[in-house]
Amino acid sequence: MSSRTGGRVRAPRLPSALGAFVRKELHHIVRDRQTLAILLLMPLVQVLLFGYALRTDVRDLRVAMVDPTPDVLTVRLRNRLESTPRFRVVSTATSTALLEDQFQRRVADVALVLPTSFADGLARGDRTPVLLVTDASDPNSGTTMQSYVRAALADFESDLSAPGRGPVRIQVASRMRYNPTLESANLFVPGLIALVLTLVSALMTAISLSREKEQGTLEVLLVSPLRPWQIIVGKVLPYLALGFAITCLVLLAARVVFAVPLRGSLTLLLAESVLYTIVSLSLGVLVAARTTSQRAAMLGALVGTMMPTALLSGMIFPISSMPGWLRPITNVVPARWFIVIARGIMLKGAGLGILWHETLVLAGMALLLLVAATRSFHARLD
Amino acid sequence: MTVSPDHGHAIEVRGLTRRFGTFTAVDAITFDVAAGEVFGFLGANGAGKTTAIRMLIGLLAPSAGSARVAGFDVSTEAEQVKRNIGYMSQRFSLYEDLTVRENITLYGGIYGLSDGAIAERMASLVERLDLGRDLDTRVKSIPLGWKQKLAFSVAVLHDPKVVFLDEPTGGVDPITRRQFWELIYATAEQGTTVFVTTHYMDEAEYCDRVSIMVDGRIAALGTPAELKARFGGETIDDVFVRLARPGAAA
C-alpha cells in the first residue's frame, strides 16, 4: 500500500487540470489542418462574396430621359445625374415613343419622364409631376433603382430651392440615412461576423463535443475528477479564441477590401463579439448534448443555429419586411440582437449607452444558455 | 494479493437497483470486492453489467440500494469516488489524433498529477510497454494491441484504488490478451483492485473471483474453482452457458 500513497490523487488542482484539457483541445484544432484552413479561409471568401456578388446596391444605372421641352434647367438635371458615377444617361428624347423598345432591348434601366414646361412649373412653385419608370423585372433592384433616382431628384430640388423660396416635395428614402453611399458591404459585414461566429462556435463545438461522445472519450472525462462545467469551459475556451481571431480577420478584410467603416469603439465591438460567441458556444453544447452522433449534431447545429442566423436575423432579409407573425420569432434569434449591435457600432458609432438594451438581451441569453448547457451534462447522469 | 489493512472492501454493493421506466436493468444486487482482488464481472449482453458498472463509476444514479467504492458512497460522494478510481471503457478511450505523450500528459493533468509525477510515470510506462520509439507517434497509427495496453496504463496512471475495465480486450489476439492480463496482475499486486467485465470465458479463469449476472441479478459468485464445482462444469464457459441459458434457474 505504501508505494501508492505518494501519488494518490487529492483535490485536482484546477488550473492544471483545466490547462491540460485546454491544451488537448488546441491540439485537436491545430491537428485538423483541413478544418482549420476552412475555418480561417471561409470568412475571407465570404467577405468577398457578400461584398461583390451579393450586393443589392446598383451601379451604372442607365437612365433614359424624356424631355419634351429642353431648357437650361433640364440640362442641369441631366448633368447632375451624369456627374455621379452611379448614373449614365443613355438617351434623351422628346417623346416616350422609344421607351418600350429601350426597356425590351435592356439598354435602359430607368426612364425619367419630365412633363412639358418642366422649368415653368418649377418656377411657379407648383407640384411638378415627374414620371419615373423602372425596369422592375427584378423587384429588388427595381426598388433600389427607383430610390436612387428619387434621391437624386430630391437633391436637385434642394439645390434649386433658394433660401426662403420653393417647398421640398419629394421625400428621401429613410434606408439611406446611415449608409449614404448605399454600400451593401457595410450592411453585410456585421451580419457576416455573426454568421461566421455562429459557424465556428456553435457548429464546431457541437461537432467536437459529439465526436467525444461518439468515440467514448466523453465517458472517460465524465468519470474523471473534472467537473461538467470544467469540461464545458475547456471545450469552449479554444473556440472562443478562434472566434475572436476570425472576427478580427473579417473586420480587417472588410476594412482593407471594402473600406467598411468602424465608427464606434473597436474594444466594444470585440467585447460584444465575445458575448455573442459565448451564446453560440452554449447553443453548440446544447445541440451536442441532445444528439448522439456527429452527423446529427452537425445537422442540428446547421438547422438550429446557422439557418436562423442567415434567414431570421435581419442579416439579408430586413425584419421589418417579414410577415407580422414571424417578427416576434426573430427575437429569440441571438444574431438578430448582435447584428443590431454590430451595425450600431460600426456604421453609426453607437456606444453602450445606446446599445445597452440589446447587450442586456444577449447577456441574458448567454447566462441562460450556459446554465442550460451545464445542466444538460448533469442530466446525462440520471 | 494483499488485502488492505485499513478497510476490508474496495467495493461494497448493497441491494443496488436501477430501473428504466418499468424495466429493471439491475435488480437489487449485493456483493463485496476485497481490496487488491481481481474481480470478474460476467454476464450475457443485456444482463445489466454495463448498467451496474455505470452506477459504480458515478455515471448513473441508482434507483435504490447503495454502493461504496474505495470507501465512498457513489450517490453522495461521487466526486471522491471519481478521484479514486480509474476507468477504461469498452470503446477505445484515448485520443487518436494526439500522440502517446500528449495522451499521457492529458490524463495525468486531469487527475491532478504534478509535471514531475507525470514525467516519472511516463518513463516507467514507456519501459514497461516498450513504447520508447512511439512516444511521439499519434495514437491512431500504433497497433490495436498496444493501444489497449496503453489505454489500461493511462487508466491506472494516477494509482487509483480501484480500476474498472469494461471489456478491455475486445478484438485483440490471444497473445496480446495474455500480455494484457499480465499488466492486470502487476497492477493488482501493487494493491489496486481490478473490476473487469469480459466476454472471454478463459479470461474469467484468470480472476480471483467471478460473478455471473443473469437478468439483472447475480446468479453465481465465487472463485472459478468453486463455481465449476458447484455447477458441475469443466470450465467457466460451461457454468456460464448453464446459468445464462434462457429458462435456466439459478
Side-chain angles (χ1 to χ4, degrees):
Chain A
M1 283 304 290
S2 58
S3 66
R4 305 159 67 218
T5 44
R8 171 73 69 241
V9 179
R10 285 168 195 95
R13 287 164 307 137
L14 181 114
S16 78
L18 198 57
F21 191 81
V22 170
R23 259 201 305 285
K24 158 229 164 215
E25 211 55 48
L26 285 172
H27 279 308
H28 287 320
I29 294 173
V30 176
R31 292 280 153 82
D32 193 354
R33 291 269 156 80
Q34 228 173 350
T35 308
L36 186 63
I38 292 172
L39 284 182
L40 291 177
L41 284 178
M42 190 194 52
L44 295 181
V45 172
Q46 279 184 331
V47 171
L48 295 178
L49 261 181
F50 279 89
Y52 283 124
L54 292 183
R55 57 194 335 153
T56 54
D57 55 336
V58 184
R59 319 212 133 207
D60 192 29
L61 236 167
R62 294 160 305 178
V63 183
M65 268 184 92
V66 177
D67 182 7
T69 48
D71 61 15
V72 184
L73 209 62
T74 60
V75 171
R76 208 166 133 191
L77 175 59
R78 183 192 162 143
N79 287 343
R80 174 155 191 110
L81 290 179
E82 294 244 86
S83 67
T84 67
R86 204 177 288 288
F87 299 108
R88 185 153 54 88
V89 178
V90 287
S91 68
T92 313
T94 49
S95 86
T96 56
L98 282 174
L99 277 186
E100 189 62 32
D101 183 54
Q102 282 177 312
F103 276 127
Q104 282 177 0
R105 285 189 293 117
R106 303 173 62 91
V107 292
D109 302 303
V110 180
L112 180 61
V113 185
L114 304 179
T116 44
S117 56
F118 176 65
D120 296 348
L122 280 183
R124 280 198 304 273
D126 287 353
R127 275 184 87 76
T128 315
V130 169
L131 178 64
L132 197 58
V133 188
T134 313
D135 176 4
S137 48
D138 174 350
N140 269 333
S141 57
T143 321
T144 312
M145 292 188 291
Q146 197 158 22
S147 59
Y148 283 173
V149 182
R150 275 171 188 271
L153 283 174
D155 280 354
F156 179 66
E157 280 202 333
S158 57
D159 274 2
L160 287 182
S161 318
R165 224 192 76 189
V168 175
R169 276 156 291 192
I170 304 174
Q171 285 148 359
V172 182
S174 60
R175 176 178 170 232
M176 297 170 221
R177 217 172 127 197
Y178 293 111
N179 193 7
T181 52
L182 288 172
E183 289 291 347
S184 50
N186 289 5
L187 279 169
F188 275 128
V189 165
L192 188 62
I193 295 175
L195 193 68
V196 169
L197 283 181
T198 312
L199 186 85
V200 175
S201 7
L203 190 62
M204 294 313 294
T205 320
I207 290 177
S208 106
L209 201 52
S210 60
R211 187 195 298 140
E212 297 230 19
K213 225 164 140 180
E214 212 171 79
Q215 293 178 345
T217 46
L218 185 63
E219 204 171 70
V220 178
L221 293 177
L222 287 172
V223 175
S224 83
L226 282 178
R227 307 272 177 130
W229 71 263
Q230 286 178 305
I231 297 175
I232 290 178
V233 168
K235 263 285 157 207
V236 152
L237 268 183
Y239 287 101
L240 197 63
L242 194 61
F244 190 80
I246 289 175
T247 307
C248 295
L249 208 66
V250 171
L251 281 177
L252 193 72
R255 177 143 209 138
V256 170
V257 183
F258 296 107
V260 172
L262 175 54
R263 302 201 170 98
S265 149
L266 177 65
T267 318
L268 180 62
L269 182 61
L270 291 177
E272 298 274 8
S273 303
V274 168
L275 187 61
Y276 178 71
T277 311
I278 292 173
V279 173
S280 299
L281 286 167
S282 315
L283 277 174
V285 173
L286 273 177
V287 167
R290 300 248 178 297
T291 51
T292 47
S293 71
Q294 282 187 69
R295 195 170 297 218
M298 199 161 98
L299 264 175
L302 279 174
V303 174
T305 64
M306 292 291 286
M307 264 171 51
T309 302
L311 302 178
L312 295 177
S313 66
M315 171 196 182
I316 298 172
F317 310 111
I319 291 167
S320 56
S321 59
M322 287 177 190
W325 60 269
L326 193 57
R327 260 175 269 164
I329 296 175
T330 63
N331 286 338
V332 300
V333 179
R336 174 213 193 288
W337 303 96
F338 176 71
I339 287 176
V340 172
I341 293 171
R343 280 184 183 160
I345 297 172
M346 292 177 69
L347 306 181
K348 304 182 195 173
L352 206 52
I354 295 167
L355 298 169
W356 66 271
H357 173 230
E358 286 81 4
T359 307
L360 213 61
V361 172
L362 265 193
M365 283 180 166
L367 198 70
L368 206 75
L369 290 170
L370 262 182
V371 171
T374 315
R375 281 269 168 82
S376 72
F377 260 70
H378 285 296
R380 285 174 42 84
L381 307 184
D382 298 310
Chain B
M1 183 175 81
T2 51
V3 174
S4 165
D6 48 302
H7 58 88
H9 295 133
I11 302 175
E12 291 174 5
V13 179
R14 297 285 175 272
L16 194 66
T17 302
R18 175 67 202 202
R19 286 181 285 269
F20 295 102
T22 55
F23 171 68
T24 305
V26 173
D27 193 0
I29 57 173
T30 296
F31 63 91
D32 292 321
V33 178
E37 195 174 11
V38 177
F39 189 83
F41 198 59
L42 314 186
N45 287 331
K49 268 181 312 174
T50 302
T51 305
I53 218 172
R54 288 175 73 83
M55 285 191 278
L56 294 181
I57 61 179
L59 278 185
L60 199 64
S63 307
S66 69
R68 295 182 79 80
V69 173
F72 299 103
D73 189 298
V74 294
S75 305
T76 57
E77 298 168 305
E79 292 309 317
Q80 283 96 323
V81 169
K82 285 179 181 180
R83 276 175 214 154
N84 287 290
I85 63 171
Y87 173 57
M88 179 179 168
S89 83
Q90 54 190 335
R91 285 183 293 176
F92 182 63
S93 51
L94 297 177
Y95 290 95
E96 300 247 334
D97 59 335
L98 300 187
T99 66
V100 173
R101 186 195 302 275
E102 285 160 357
N103 268 294
I104 296 172
T105 311
L106 167 68
Y107 283 107
I110 286 176
Y111 280 91
L113 298 184
S114 68
D115 292 349
I118 293 174
E120 189 187 301
R121 277 150 212 241
M122 189 155 10
S124 79
L125 197 156
V126 161
E127 197 194 317
R128 194 156 15 107
L129 299 184
D130 191 23
L131 270 173
R133 279 165 298 135
D134 296 302
L135 205 48
D136 291 305
T137 308
R138 293 196 197 164
V139 167
K140 68 175 159 217
S141 45
I142 65 173
L144 180 67
W146 273 5
K147 276 187 205 174
Q148 247 137 345
K149 284 186 273 181
L150 180 63
F152 174 76
S153 304
V154 167
V156 295
L157 191 73
H158 56 292
D159 268 341
K161 283 184 183 163
V162 185
V163 62
F164 291 86
L165 310 173
D166 195 2
E167 290 177 18
T169 53
V172 301
D173 61 82
I175 295 167
T176 312
R177 267 167 57 201
R178 183 85 215 186
Q179 292 169 339
F180 194 90
W181 274 87
E182 278 161 19
L183 281 179
I184 290 181
Y185 279 132
T187 307
E189 255 158 42
Q190 288 177 6
T192 296
T193 307
V194 179
F195 187 96
V196 57
T197 74
T198 179
H199 271 317
Y200 299 105
M201 291 306 143
D202 59 323
E203 290 186 345
E205 311 266 0
Y206 301 152
C207 300
D208 294 323
R209 283 194 307 150
V210 296
S211 74
I212 298 180
M213 246 185 126
V214 178
D215 294 337
R217 295 169 171 276
I218 290 183
L221 192 149
T223 65
E226 280 168 11
L227 292 187
K228 279 184 280 189
R230 195 186 325 157
F231 294 94
E234 294 273 297
T235 59
I236 287 291
D237 195 30
D238 295 340
V239 175
F240 183 79
V241 169
R242 198 152 297 171
L243 287 171
R245 197 178 48 210

